[in-house]
Amino acid sequence: MSLREPGGRRPTMRDVAARAQVSFKTVSRVVNDEGGVSPPLERRVRKAIDELDFRPNVGARILRRSDRRTASIGLLLEDVANPFSAAVQRAVEDEAEHRGVVVYSASLDEDPARERALAKAFGARNVDGLLLVPAGDDQSHLAAELRAGTAIVCVDREANNLPVDSVVTTNEIGAAEGVRHLAAAGHRRIAFLGDRTTIATARQRYVGYEEALRGLGLSVDPALVVRDVRDAGVADGAVTALLGRPDPPTAFFTAQNLVTVGAVRALRRLGREHAVALVGFDDFLLADLLRPGVTVVAQDPTAIGRIAAGLLFARIDGDTSPPQRRLVPTTLIRRGSGEIAPD
Amino acid sequence: MSLREPGGRRPTMRDVAARAQVSFKTVSRVVNDEGGVSPPLERRVRKAIDELDFRPNVGARILRRSDRRTASIGLLLEDVANPFSAAVQRAVEDEAEHRGVVVYSASLDEDPARERALAKAFGARNVDGLLLVPAGDDQSHLAAELRAGTAIVCVDREANNLPVDSVVTTNEIGAAEGVRHLAAAGHRRIAFLGDRTTIATARQRYVGYEEALRGLGLSVDPALVVRDVRDAGVADGAVTALLGRPDPPTAFFTAQNLVTVGAVRALRRLGREHAVALVGFDDFLLADLLRPGVTVVAQDPTAIGRIAAGLLFARIDGDTSPPQRRLVPTTLIRRGSGEIAPD
DNA sequence: AGCGAACGAGACAACGTTGTCATCGACTGT
DNA sequence: ACAGTCGATGACAACGTTGTCTCGTTCGCT
């Protein structure tokens, strides 16, 4: 199989034509339903196609076709293993399959170098469009793709230095709502735990936290703010440390799903899960089955994926209106942990 | 953008050649590091490539190349939104990226028609290999792909009527271990809740359940067996119904992750979670944070994905040894729910 | 019957690349 | 100085398909 031995050759239109005793152009006409082929000939050709299990070579077709469409798109996510990314991918797949478009996918792990390498790899394969969760703070390297006619839509975050559509969660508003919800339960010392500050959404959620506090006439205590929390373990440690302070927070706002999980673990270990309030950003499976249930500001990754795919296909179909930013709202889901009052 | 207007044309080797004042064949030599190009010419060519941001057209390259490799594979999963599938995909992506191979992915939702359609779509794009979680009980339609030289490896389930490698969990052994674990805690009436019987793994896990009971000298009570449970809601209902019987089970073995989640919900609602034992097949996030923690027979989706990708690339690289079946063992993780004794 | 339109079918070029072969100039050894 | 060699470069075909053009037949109309 290494060098695709003689037997391992796919039949071509010439093979079909020989078997059906017609010219290969006639086969092309039948395959593409161009019409202008008499019924008897068409029957012969279709029979030959079936017998040989012929499938047109997509590569050659694209090469020749004038519109140059490959009916493929590239999907560059943060990490498919994260439920948020997985839900986005599933929504995109459904929209794509529906249109007969295939999807390349890859995880970037927040690495700008991978973003560049994979966008390049997909571009070289002439994808019609690219759906991208930007990693890093400069997407200008994609300008050439854009010029070459590749549609690009950013998902979950806006692009930097690149005029493209984006579909994002209302991060500031949602975070502010979560924080206000904690304040409404009586909390004044609300800690913030956020993801890496290199990630725009993490910064926006922090801004929402600050704004909410300010709007409530509360001051932001830097001692209660821990940013650049990169995983559940670090979150666990941060919660433990904060609760060990002389003047500990009475509530936590955790700005990312893994951070929330880490906080739940810490509260459990300390036996404080019914005493310290918690609101997390982004929902997760089983959050309702924990005791107490975890109150979250839920995002809607399925809607994000669906809308992003819709925009992308509109661009591919020729929409040249100015870049737009579509906002997807969050929903506060009360489950118990966010309704705990301070001591 | 619709018909890719004049500006939207990618530069070709001819464009580069014109700018560098060489023949386009020389450009090809430089691009492929073939050697035999003098340093000054090479410099000129590389400069032109940079200035035009030229990228070779992968489609054309594949069409012409003698080895016919596309450096792409197709991944056909059950559903990326399911954590098991997502973990497999992530492992496959990592192996692929490492080799400079891009990955098409799609979810089949257990639909044999989608399996056929998507395998065909990927095949027409000449993927070098196909990683497949078989949907339905006949994969013979893939024989033509195999003949055409496409490597195929099945993941999580074996193929039917197709001589290909597969990588599967030790379903029978794992299920039997879970059931024996419940019996060791003193249970005699252990219910079985399983996924659709059209799915081979669901059948194997049931066999493991039966074998374990028989090995323990216990009889299989058909009233305690509910198969074809297709989602968490149905599982919830089944648990509720079983516990409402005059002679209810004292323990549950749930043979799939969503089924387990449904069972947990039901036990919670009935307030029986500390009274009725539960062991689930397949681990899930936060299972350790529930009260009681959910004891599971954990699979290793990352290992499955990694091994499957390894086998696939070996086949692509020319391995023609007979098809093999690789087994990935399970691990029993005790967390509390499986250690509850009967009343 | 004669003529043009309409249509079925094939010949051929082209897409952007790689593989094969030819050409040309310079360098080697005697 | 001259045949032989070698290295660099280019011309050209080919991959499998679609688009354009041409050709030949049939059909309807006068």
Side-chain angles (χ1 to χ4, degrees):
Chain A
M1 303 229 172
S2 176
L3 294 171
R4 215 166 273 260
E5 74 276 314
R9 197 181 133 272
R10 287 176 192 275
T12 73
M13 284 189 174
R14 294 199 134 81
D15 300 323
V16 175
R19 179 169 262 259
Q21 314 239 56
V22 297
S23 79
F24 75 99
K25 176 69 226 200
T26 299
V27 177
S28 168
R29 279 194 257 264
V30 171
V31 168
N32 295 297
D33 285 319
E34 272 183 42
V37 177
S38 66
L41 267 201
E42 170 156 359
R43 267 195 303 279
R44 253 159 55 202
V45 170
R46 291 208 185 278
K47 182 152 168 285
I49 288 176
D50 278 353
E51 288 166 354
L52 295 175
D53 196 39
F54 166 80
R55 301 220 240 299
N57 179 316
V58 176
R61 158 177 288 172
I62 290 159
L63 187 58
R64 183 58 179 113
R65 267 223 172 119
S66 47
D67 66 3
R68 278 316 164 78
R69 291 293 179 67
T70 56
S72 68
I73 61 173
L75 178 57
L76 297 167
L77 298 168
E78 191 196 332
D79 175 15
V80 242
N82 184 309
F84 180 87
S85 298
V88 170
Q89 172 167 335
R90 184 59 216 256
V92 169
E93 274 182 9
D94 288 346
E95 291 295 312
E97 202 218 345
H98 177 238
R99 290 173 168 83
V101 167
V102 295
V103 181
Y104 289 107
S105 67
S107 300
L108 303 179
D109 282 334
E110 303 292 350
D111 181 350
R114 280 179 84 154
E115 175 182 303
R116 267 194 297 278
L118 285 160
K120 200 166 168 174
F122 291 170
R125 286 178 153 77
N126 287 300
V127 291
D128 298 334
L130 227 38
L131 279 170
L132 169 71
V133 177
D137 54 5
D138 181 28
Q139 277 67 50
S140 60
H141 64 98
L142 292 171
E145 283 308 325
L146 216 48
R147 246 179 284 123
T150 307
I152 301 180
V153 170
C154 283
V155 184
D156 188 45
R157 305 169 193 168
E158 289 163 60
N160 300 102
N161 313 316
L162 195 72
V164 298
D165 297 330
S166 57
V167 183
V168 296
T169 293
T170 53
N171 286 294
E172 286 187 29
I173 297 171
E177 185 182 7
V179 173
R180 278 198 303 269
H181 182 69
L182 286 167
H187 296 279
R188 292 298 170 266
R189 296 186 56 71
I190 303 172
F192 175 93
L193 264 62
D195 205 344
R196 284 169 268 194
T197 49
T198 51
I199 302 174
T201 53
R203 296 195 298 270
Q204 291 161 2
R205 292 170 199 171
Y206 177 71
V207 170
Y209 164 82
E210 268 196 336
E211 276 176 0
L213 290 186
R214 234 181 264 129
L216 292 159
L218 299 174
S219 62
V220 176
D221 181 349
L224 299 186
V225 173
V226 184
R227 303 175 74 179
D228 287 304
V229 174
R230 56 186 64 231
D231 60 40
V234 175
D236 184 330
V239 168
T240 309
L242 282 168
L243 290 178
R245 288 170 52 88
D247 190 9
T250 60
F252 284 85
F253 179 73
T254 48
Q256 194 247 21
N257 57 6
L258 295 180
V259 175
T260 305
V261 170
V264 171
R265 287 227 156 79
L267 292 173
R268 276 294 181 84
R269 205 186 42 255
L270 299 168
R272 306 295 306 281
E273 74 268 30
H274 293 284
V276 176
L278 172 66
V279 169
F281 199 102
D282 199 10
D283 200 6
F284 51 95
L285 194 70
L286 301 188
D288 59 321
L289 286 182
L290 296 175
R291 292 277 167 84
V294 179
T295 296
V296 297
V297 176
Q299 302 191 77
D300 191 346
T302 302
I304 291 174
R306 185 169 19 83
I307 293 169
L311 283 174
L312 189 74
F313 288 120
R315 293 293 179 185
I316 290 172
D317 290 343
D319 179 358
T320 55
S321 56
Q324 54 176 293
R325 192 171 64 123
R326 290 279 280 276
L327 294 172
V328 179
T330 56
T331 315
L332 180 74
I333 305 180
R334 296 168 179 77
R335 294 197 180 111
S337 75
E339 292 72 41
I340 296 171
D343 297 329
Chain B
M1 305 233 171
S2 176
L3 294 172
R4 216 166 272 259
E5 75 276 316
R9 197 180 132 272
R10 287 177 193 274
T12 72
M13 284 190 175
R14 293 200 135 79
D15 300 324
V16 175
R19 180 169 261 259
Q21 315 240 53
V22 296
S23 79
F24 75 98
K25 176 66 223 200
T26 299
V27 177
S28 169
R29 279 196 256 263
V30 171
V31 167
N32 295 296
D33 286 320
E34 273 183 42
V37 177
S38 66
L41 267 201
E42 170 157 359
R43 268 196 302 279
R44 253 159 56 202
V45 171
R46 292 211 183 276
K47 183 154 166 284
I49 287 176
D50 278 353
E51 287 167 355
L52 295 176
D53 197 38
F54 165 79
R55 301 221 242 295
N57 179 316
V58 176
R61 157 176 291 173
I62 290 160
L63 188 57
R64 184 57 179 110
R65 268 225 171 116
S66 45
D67 67 3
R68 279 311 166 80
R69 291 292 178 67
T70 57
S72 68
I73 61 173
L75 178 57
L76 296 167
L77 298 168
E78 190 196 332
D79 175 14
V80 240
N82 184 309
F84 179 87
S85 298
V88 170
Q89 172 168 335
R90 184 57 215 256
V92 170
E93 275 183 7
D94 288 346
E95 291 296 313
E97 203 218 344
H98 177 238
R99 289 172 168 83
V101 167
V102 295
V103 181
Y104 289 107
S105 66
S107 299
L108 302 180
D109 282 334
E110 303 292 348
D111 181 351
R114 280 178 82 153
E115 175 182 303
R116 268 194 297 279
L118 285 160
K120 200 166 169 173
F122 291 169
R125 287 179 153 77
N126 288 300
V127 291
D128 298 333
L130 227 39
L131 279 170
L132 169 72
V133 176
D137 54 5
D138 181 28
Q139 277 67 51
S140 61
H141 65 98
L142 291 171
E145 283 308 327
L146 217 49
R147 246 179 284 122
T150 307
I152 301 181
V153 170
C154 283
V155 184
D156 188 43
R157 305 170 194 168
E158 288 162 60
N160 301 101
N161 313 318
L162 195 72
V164 298
D165 297 329
S166 57
V167 183
V168 296
T169 293
T170 53
N171 286 293
E172 287 187 26
I173 298 172
E177 185 183 5
V179 172
R180 277 197 303 268
H181 183 68
L182 286 166
H187 296 279
R188 293 296 170 266
R189 296 186 56 72
I190 303 172
F192 175 93
L193 266 64
D195 204 344
R196 284 168 267 194
T197 49
T198 52
I199 302 174
T201 53
R203 295 195 298 270
Q204 292 161 2
R205 292 170 199 171
Y206 177 71
V207 170
Y209 164 81
E210 269 196 334
E211 277 177 0
L213 290 186
R214 234 178 267 129
L216 292 160
L218 299 174
S219 61
V220 177
D221 181 349
L224 299 186
V225 173
V226 184
R227 303 175 75 177
D228 287 305
V229 174
R230 54 187 64 232
D231 59 40
V234 175
D236 185 329
V239 168
T240 309
L242 283 168
L243 290 179
R245 287 170 53 86
D247 190 10
T250 61
F252 284 86
F253 179 73
T254 49
Q256 195 247 19
N257 57 6
L258 295 178
V259 174
T260 306
V261 170
V264 171
R265 286 226 158 79
L267 292 174
R268 277 294 180 84
R269 204 186 44 256
L270 300 168
R272 307 293 308 281
E273 75 268 31
H274 293 285
V276 176
L278 173 66
V279 169
F281 199 102
D282 199 11
D283 201 6
F284 52 95
L285 194 69
L286 300 187
D288 59 321
L289 286 181
L290 296 174
R291 293 276 167 86
V294 180
T295 295
V296 298
V297 176
Q299 301 190 78
D300 190 347
T302 301
I304 292 175
R306 186 170 19 86
I307 293 170
L311 283 175
L312 189 74
F313 288 120
R315 294 293 180 187
I316 290 172
D317 290 344
D319 179 358
T320 54
S321 56
Q324 53 176 294
R325 192 171 65 122
R326 290 279 281 273
L327 294 170
V328 179
T330 55
T331 315
L332 180 74
I333 305 179
R334 297 167 177 80
R335 295 198 179 107
S337 74
E339 292 71 40
I340 296 171
D343 297 329

